[in-house]
Amino acid sequence: MRLILMGPPGSGKGTQAKRICEKLGIPHLSTGDILRAEVKAGTPLGSAVAAIMAAGGLVSDDTVSAIVATRIAGPEAQRGFVLDGFPRTISQAAALEQALGEQALTAVVELVVPEEALFERIRRRADEAVGAGGPQRADDNAATLELRLRAYRAETLSVSEFYKDRAPYFQVDGLASPEDVTARILEILKTAEMEYS
Ligand code: B4P
């Protein structure tokens, strides 16, 4: 099972990837989570990317592509994986294709959520983090979300087009409840596995 979850920032990729991975027992490869862990640990990589992430920009293709290539070659990814937040550019998609070699993608699922709803979700997540007494994500505010959306429109929208004729590609209404979105993705995976394996 090799799934790519796509969608704009705040569309629920992380939320859904966690649920699907728990259900299927496969690793959740989130480039955002991996990079945030590097920032938190104060590694050289974390120090190099912290400002880019806080400003809503994209980390370099070479950096994220190398991280993903190492993870998908690892033993824990041999049964499959869910990629969340990668690829975000055509160059990353080409690097992934190379890293996968003969291994086909089971499905590429795009979560569709209108921009007004994204602002509301990010505001809620920031409020919840503060309410729980924890730190709020450096990029969870309206001004930075606007920049993340700009990066999404400029770089990532074309990745959807890239996959439409290269892999089983599906769009899912990301405005539905988290439970309904998960159910729809699982249904897609079941059909895709039967049709394309
Ligand atoms: P990411 O960590 O990938 O963050 P994201 O796209 O903003 O969020 P996601 O879509 O996962 O939202 P979530 O489920 O949490 O990236 C952060 C940064 O890392 C990037 O800006 C970039 O700098 C860097 N980066 C990462 N990958 C990179 C790459 N490949 N190349 C270059 N740079 C890279 O959901 C958001 C909120 O909505 C949550 O609060 C959740 O509770 C709520 N929600 C989710 N589903 C819902 C639903 N169905 N209904 C109502 N609310 C819902």
Side-chain angles (χ1 to χ4, degrees):
M1 173 68 59
R2 297 180 202 91
L3 167 68
I4 295 180
L5 272 182
M6 298 195 58
S11 56
K13 302 182 295 291
T15 305
Q16 292 304 322
K18 271 187 212 84
R19 299 170 69 107
I20 303 285
C21 289
E22 265 166 35
K23 184 98 186 153
L24 302 181
I26 53 177
H28 172 196
L29 302 181
S30 158
T31 42
D33 286 352
I34 295 167
L35 294 168
R36 275 188 292 278
E38 297 282 341
V39 172
K40 196 170 173 206
T43 64
L45 170 60
S47 307
V49 302
I52 300 170
M53 293 177 74
L58 291 182
V59 172
S60 85
D61 289 336
D62 286 351
T63 303
V64 282
S65 297
I67 292 172
V68 171
T70 306
R71 300 285 176 120
I72 63 176
E76 65 286 358
Q78 296 318 299
R79 279 192 55 237
F81 49 80
V82 175
L83 273 172
D84 155 15
F86 182 95
R88 263 176 156 95
T89 67
I90 295 289
S91 157
Q92 292 177 19
L96 176 64
E97 209 165 46
Q98 207 168 5
L100 285 173
E102 298 293 301
Q103 305 174 87
L105 292 166
T106 309
V108 176
V109 171
E110 180 185 357
L111 299 176
V112 181
V113 178
E115 292 193 358
E116 317 81 74
L118 300 175
F119 280 90
E120 175 53 28
R121 285 184 185 185
I122 295 299
R123 191 190 54 72
R124 206 181 324 130
R125 179 162 70 187
D127 288 350
E128 281 168 5
V130 172
Q136 160 186 350
R137 257 174 65 167
D139 57 351
D140 269 357
N141 57 71
T144 310
L145 177 58
E146 184 48 58
L147 298 172
R148 286 155 70 193
L149 283 170
R150 218 174 279 173
Y152 177 78
R153 292 181 210 113
E155 303 276 1
T156 313
L157 267 180
S158 55
V159 178
S160 311
E161 293 305 317
F162 176 92
Y163 280 119
K164 276 180 186 159
D165 52 358
R166 277 183 169 80
Y169 180 88
F170 305 87
Q171 288 188 320
V172 168
D173 175 14
L175 275 183
S177 72
E179 294 74 19
D180 286 352
V181 177
T182 308
R184 178 69 192 118
I185 296 173
L186 288 171
E187 197 178 64
I188 284 170
L189 292 176
K190 206 166 156 193
T191 313
E193 269 211 321
M194 286 191 298
E195 281 183 15
Y196 302 98
S197 62

